[in-house]
Amino acid sequence: VPFPDRTDSDPDGTGPTTDGAPALDAPVRVLVADDEEDIRLLVCVAVRKAGCTVVAAVADGAQALLAARAERPDLLVLDVSMPEASGLEVCEQLRADPATAGARVLLLSAGASPDDIARGLAAGADAYLPKPFTVAGLVAQVRTLTVGARA
Amino acid sequence: MTALAERPAAPTEVPPSAAPRRRHAPAALAVVAAAGLAVLVLAPNPTAVVLAVAAVAAAVGELTRRLRAQLAAAAELEVQRRDLLTLGQSTAEELEVATRMMRARAQTMTSVIDAVTEQSIIGTDRDGLIRVWNPGAERMLGLPRAEVVRLRTITDFHAPEELSPDDAPEPDPGARFATLVHGAQEHGSDVRDWTYLTADGRRLTVSVAITPRTDDDGEQAGWNFVGTDMTEARAAERLKDQFVSLISHELRTPLSSILGYLELVLDDEEQPLTDEQRQYLNTVERNAQRLLRLVGDLLFTAQVDAGRFTLQPEDVDLAGIVRAAEETARVTAANRGVALTVDLPAEGLVVRGDALRLGQACDNLVSNAVKFTPAGGEVTLRLRTAWRDADGTVVDSATPSTSPVALLSVSDTGVGIPTGEQGRLFTSFFRASTARRNAVPGVGLGLTITKAITTAHGGTLGVTSVEGRGTTFTLALPLD
């Protein structure tokens, strides 16, 4: 089993990290940002089903950036249309900052046109999942993106 | 002398080179007459006198004849002079008529241009200096003709940033004008949106048609700029776009939640549902999916209407697409008691197209066929190569004037479409009376979308139907 099946017992993100390099069996740490609470919770469920830990679940782009700098997650699952800063803007700023440039980014969006997808990937996203997504599809995508994230 | 007498008398018929000779002839005759008279007076010989008298008589006769001829010529000249005078008078009259007509035409042009108050008509010379400024321009841009004509250049009224190439942020007026007329210079005319600046500082989105103007010699004299204020129309278009994308987002978001949480409940292995619960929730899910498709169809129709529908072309095996459509419809067809058969070329049939959109078109045709066919009926999907004439008629064999097409036909033994309604089938929200009578669900977007997708691929969509017997839709896509 590549990922320990842990529940989100550590929502504040003060999670189990050792002083230097993280332990090999440390859970993959995921930040979730979506302004729709129902969707945010659904994404959190899917992330946990994929065996990862949710280190922060926020409702806008500005909070997402703050949390990303504080928590240094392995993966961010970002909604594209959010207040304060869109998922695209968050993604670009993460890529521009060496401290966060290495994180994986999965964008979720109601926009499913090829243009939308191209814009998302141009902003630096690793993957783009159109809404409505299936839980199974999201779980699979999170697993794909986090393979080797802690290796 | 005989030779001279035989010359034609009419001076108009004499070539000009003969004129000097003609003038000398009377003088020669006079010399002959004078010599005859001298002989008559001086000669003592009666024979000489007789000869001299004869000579003088002949000379006088010839002189008289010449004189008469000259008189006739003069009369003829007078006739010609009168003719020319008449001609001159009528030419003058014609000229006056022509001048009057020209003036009337110019007056008509001016009054037409002046009557246009909703469009700006601006004419410039070759350098952009304004020469024509109609009331429409006065009204749109807020300056009277007297303050503009021969005083301002057209680029004064354009948003400067639109006339500045990226590499030259502060271009000279000539370069700005060249940017403005560049499209019309290249293609003979140019229509696009520009931003006009009004006298009171407002910015207007104006659709401007730019054409060159030529003078009477066919030389380019300047440019015409005919503008229509599109500020409100464009704002309405933007609003509609925003509305559509808002609706799309606002409808999709709750549907995402509904479908996502349903999936969690249906797939929860730790708390399995009873069969009844599962059946109810499956109904919820099926209807949520239907709503989702409807939202997608509405959004897509709006994109087609706005001309913002683009294809992602690639090589697509149509046989695979038809097979997928058959799989999608299989369960519904089986539940309805409709037999679904496919007839596909074993080697496949590859077209250039957008796989997603072609799949959508194919799904629409197949699901329609199943939906409109009662239990015990049959739906047949057939894919083959055929040929298309220049006028779009599909034929079974190739000729030099035909081009190959991939032909997908979807035939059913359903309720059919009345002949009178077949022409309106592809109109948004149109539903055939047979659909309404038989309470077949739908909103009337599927065929509109299928037609739009087909057309965007350079294909054609045809229908033959007999009410009560069945319908065949035929989709032809070009094979390159």
Side-chain angles (χ1 to χ4, degrees), chain A residues 36-39 41-42 45 49 81 110 112 114 131-137, chain B residues 248-250 252-253 255-257 259-261 263-264 267 292 303 310 312 354:
Chain A
E36 284 282 332
E37 189 184 5
D38 293 341
I39 302 283
L41 291 175
L42 192 63
V45 171
K49 273 179 175 277
S81 63
K131 288 180 182 177
F133 51 85
T134 63
V135 176
Chain B
S248 158
H249 183 258
E250 288 305 302
R252 272 170 200 259
T253 303
L255 281 169
S256 296
S257 283
L259 288 166
Y261 285 98
E263 190 185 344
L264 288 182
D267 291 353
L292 190 64
Q303 282 172 344
T310 51
Q312 302 292 311
D354 185 316

Side-chain angles (χ1 to χ4, degrees), chain B residues 124 154-155 158 162-163 174-185 190 192 194 196 208 210 225:
Chain B
T124 71
I154 183 132
T155 48
H158 275 264
E162 291 180 354
L163 299 175
R176 282 212 299 271
F177 187 68
T179 306
L180 178 60
V181 298
H182 178 75
Q185 196 119 49
D190 182 55
R192 73 178 77 177
W194 293 96
Y196 274 5
V208 185
I210 306 179
F225 304 82

Side-chain angles (χ1 to χ4, degrees), chain B residues 419-442:
Chain B
T419 317
E421 298 179 8
Q422 290 176 14
R424 290 153 67 200
L425 276 182
F426 304 115
T427 316
S428 290
F429 303 110
F430 174 78
R431 304 212 64 221
S433 57
T434 39
R436 283 174 276 128
R437 263 204 311 277
N438 292 282
V440 179

Side-chain angles (χ1 to χ4, degrees), chain B residues 237-257:
Chain B
E237 279 168 26
R238 266 198 304 280
L239 205 65
K240 187 185 161 197
D241 278 2
Q242 283 168 0
F243 178 73
V244 166
S245 83
L246 180 81
I247 286 297
S248 158
H249 183 258
E250 288 305 302
L251 290 176
R252 272 170 200 259
T253 303
L255 281 169
S256 296
S257 283

